[in-house]
Amino acid sequence: MANQLWVKKPIEKLLQESTGEANQLKRSLGSASLVALGIGAIIGAGLFSLTGIAAAEHSGPAVTISFILAAVGCGFAGLCYAEFASMIPIAGSAYTYSYATMGEFVAWIIGWDLVLEYALGAATVSVSWSRYLLEFLNKFDIHLPTQLVCSPFEVVKLSNGTVIDNGIVNLPAIIIVCLLSLLLIRGTQSSAFLNNLLVILKVAVVLIFIALGWSHIDPQNYVPYIPENTGNYENFGWTGIATGAAVVFFAFIGFDAVSTAAQEAKNPQKGMPIGILGSLVVCTILYVLFAHVMTGLVKYTEFANDAKPAATAFAKTGYDSLQTGLIIAILAGYTSVIIVMLLGQSRVFYSMSKDGLLPGFFSDVHAKFHTPWKTNLFFMAFVSIFSGLVPVSDLGHMVSIGTLFAFCLVCVGVWMLRVKRPDLPRSFRTPLVPFVPIMGIVVCVYLMYSLPVESWFRLAIWLALGLVVYFGYGKKNSKLGRE
């Protein structure tokens, strides 16, 4: 039975599951929709929320360098994802790739780890979505009961100076998660159409922010560009830039969410690399420009504990009439991020359930909508708990370390498969193997090292819980293990 831990799912079997009647999911996404899916997930809380926190606590104005460092790590991992996604066009992302290359046990660990990326990613964004909603309502003198707008473990400060510190639950965050989960049950195509519209609006907002904010930059806000380290590894200096990169790494997780929709792509061999790498390049350019303008408008120290830094910075431009529009567009943009994160999570558990590692409940497909609707309902409840009760900074760190861990294993998998199965057809080939996978591993491990130690403890606890579930259920019910 020990050998079962390392049993690999044959590539040929995976390809068979993605074709014909074996594929219960509807192929409805073209290359443009896949790029939009990636941009929809990438541009969100990382840019509009965590950028300010990273600048205030870790990088200062050099948060732009943090974004570049994070993008380099993502670029190496993205090239590896692109090869896998074009070669194994199956829902499940890194979980599926690990099952084919490193065996069932590693696949289980990465599938369980992806909950930190997608489910808690959706929770993180929903909390920030709630912050911007409060800011929007406040402009019209509409005030929700303070006990129902934030968790009991955090303090919220609005731009007008209002402080909310007696919260019980973040109800707006829970409501948006529930509404979008119900939308996803109705079908991927309708969700993708809404996502495409939201992406257009979101990119337009980023471009307007950069264009209008550039002329109001105060060069003094960039002094010093790299603040001197305080003596603490995480706070400023070059080590602070590395920690900032680990924090804003959350902002790039969307490109791998594209790979979870491989089974719903019209032409995955072509569309997957375009969707993954195209969305990564576009968003990296926008991120660096956006962060440069934001820290030029406001001194980085003012972003401490500010989950809505874009609104804070834009207020300095004097375009008060446009700020309301900016907040509306950010809310719409956050909505698209939550859609993609919830979509990605449901597809990972769908794949794990199809393999017998999770109960069949998670792979039940709706007869009319052709979506894993029970999984959507399960994560609607799961994500809502975290959205309503956990502070945004804690969620962001958990998402970042889970994502980095997944990227490391994908890089290892590409390298291993090139050695063991060089004969497999690859419509996209990662260049410079093994250099690219090795660099992906090095950068991702370094960024993991730069995260607060509490993130490591939470990752260990989460993975330990996953081992209990695997040995208690997954190992006994694995379809490949029984075969």
Side-chain angles (χ1 to χ4, degrees):
M1 289 296 287
N3 289 338
Q4 183 188 330
L5 297 179
W6 313 111
V7 66
K8 299 177 181 63
K9 195 167 187 180
I11 303 290
E12 293 76 13
K13 187 179 181 68
L14 286 168
L15 295 176
Q16 186 180 5
E17 290 177 1
S18 70
T19 58
E21 295 181 359
N23 181 22
Q24 295 177 286
L25 302 178
K26 186 177 180 181
R27 293 197 179 278
S28 57
L29 303 177
S31 295
S33 291
L34 291 170
V35 172
L37 197 68
I39 295 175
I42 296 174
I43 299 181
L47 185 63
F48 296 130
S49 178
L50 295 180
T51 303
I53 294 172
E57 299 179 3
H58 307 295
S59 310
V63 68
T64 51
I65 302 177
S66 293
F67 271 119
I68 293 172
L69 179 58
V72 169
C74 277
F76 290 129
L79 289 168
C80 295
Y81 262 101
E83 176 169 322
F84 262 140
S86 64
M87 184 172 60
I88 310 174
I90 302 290
S93 185
Y95 159 76
T96 302
Y97 311 150
S98 299
Y99 212 158
T101 56
M102 289 174 279
E104 182 174 284
F105 184 63
V106 176
W108 168 268
I109 290 175
I110 199 64
W112 188 255
D113 170 73
L114 286 173
V115 176
L116 293 180
E117 178 175 351
Y118 295 128
L120 296 194
T124 306
V125 180
S126 67
V127 173
S128 196
W129 186 94
S130 174
R131 296 287 183 277
Y132 278 98
L133 177 67
L134 293 181
E135 197 69 35
F136 174 73
L137 295 177
N138 187 58
K139 288 185 173 296
F140 298 95
D141 205 29
I142 300 174
H143 305 286
L144 301 177
T146 55
Q147 295 88 345
L148 302 180
V149 296
C150 73
S151 85
F153 309 108
E154 61 184 336
V155 177
V156 176
K157 183 178 180 181
L158 300 181
S159 58
N160 66 351
T162 303
V163 176
I164 302 172
D165 62 356
N166 61 337
I168 297 175
V169 65
N170 192 334
L171 189 59
I174 292 175
I175 290 174
I176 190 63
V177 167
C178 292
L179 290 176
L180 296 180
S181 295
L182 296 175
L183 173 67
L184 281 170
I185 289 174
R186 288 191 57 83
T188 306
Q189 190 168 14
S190 58
S191 304
F193 176 74
L194 174 61
N195 179 68
N196 291 347
L197 294 178
L198 295 176
V199 166
I200 293 171
L201 178 61
K202 184 161 52 175
V203 172
V205 166
V206 173
L207 293 174
I208 290 172
F209 180 92
I210 294 170
L212 295 182
W214 199 278
S215 60
H216 292 81
I217 288 175
D218 181 358
Q220 286 302 310
N221 289 331
Y222 294 132
V223 180
Y225 196 72
I226 302 178
E228 185 177 352
N229 185 266
T230 62
N232 187 341
Y233 181 94
E234 302 170 10
N235 301 125
F236 310 114
W238 286 104
T239 55
I241 289 174
T243 301
V247 171
V248 299
F249 198 89
F250 174 85
F252 289 97
I253 67 174
F255 80 85
D256 71 309
V258 174
S259 65
T260 66
Q263 227 165 314
E264 291 149 283
K266 293 177 181 178
N267 183 358
Q269 285 76 16
K270 175 185 175 184
M272 285 289 107
I274 292 175
I276 291 171
L277 299 176
S279 57
L280 182 59
V281 170
V282 170
C283 292
T284 299
I285 295 170
L286 293 177
Y287 276 11
V288 172
L289 293 174
F290 188 96
H292 179 73
V293 171
M294 196 177 82
T295 52
L297 291 173
V298 176
K299 191 70 175 178
Y300 68 92
T301 52
E302 295 184 34
F303 292 127
N305 298 316
D306 189 351
K308 43 163 193 53
T312 301
F314 197 73
K316 299 290 186 179
T317 64
Y319 296 105
D320 294 333
S321 59
L322 292 177
Q323 190 176 19
T324 301
L326 174 76
I327 294 175
I328 293 174
I330 290 175
L331 286 170
Y334 274 15
T335 301
S336 72
V337 178
I338 300 170
I339 288 174
V340 180
M341 294 294 99
L342 292 174
L343 170 71
Q345 182 58 70
S346 64
R347 278 16 177 209
V348 171
F349 265 42
Y350 168 83
S351 294
M352 296 176 75
S353 176
K354 292 281 284 185
D355 291 330
L357 301 181
L358 288 172
F361 167 92
F362 291 103
S363 56
D364 281 352
V365 174
H366 197 284
K368 179 180 179 182
F369 302 127
H370 302 286
T371 56
W373 65 287
K374 291 182 180 178
T375 305
N376 288 125
L377 290 176
F378 174 84
F379 279 104
M380 179 176 76
F382 180 84
V383 173
S384 292
I385 293 172
F386 284 89
S387 299
L389 298 175
V390 181
V392 67
S393 58
D394 290 339
L395 284 170
H397 290 158
M398 291 174 70
V399 173
S400 290
I401 198 165
T403 305
L404 288 161
F405 185 48
F407 286 5
C408 285
L409 289 182
V410 168
C411 292
V412 171
V414 163
W415 187 7
M416 288 180 61
L417 211 56
R418 282 290 188 92
V419 174
K420 294 185 176 182
R421 294 295 304 273
D423 56 303
L424 288 171
R426 294 166 169 84
S427 57
F428 177 87
R429 295 178 67 87
T430 302
L432 301 176
V433 174
F435 174 77
V436 168
I438 290 173
M439 288 305 298
I441 295 166
V442 169
V443 175
C444 290
V445 169
Y446 178 60
L447 293 180
M448 289 174 72
Y449 169 76
S450 300
L451 282 168
V453 68
E454 294 85 359
S455 302
W456 286 87
F457 287 131
R458 291 169 187 149
L459 176 64
I461 292 170
W462 178 250
L463 293 180
L465 178 61
L467 293 181
V468 172
V469 177
Y470 175 69
F471 286 106
Y473 180 90
K475 189 171 183 289
K476 298 175 184 176
N477 294 278
S478 166
K479 292 180 180 179
L480 202 58
R482 289 204 300 267
E483 291 174 8

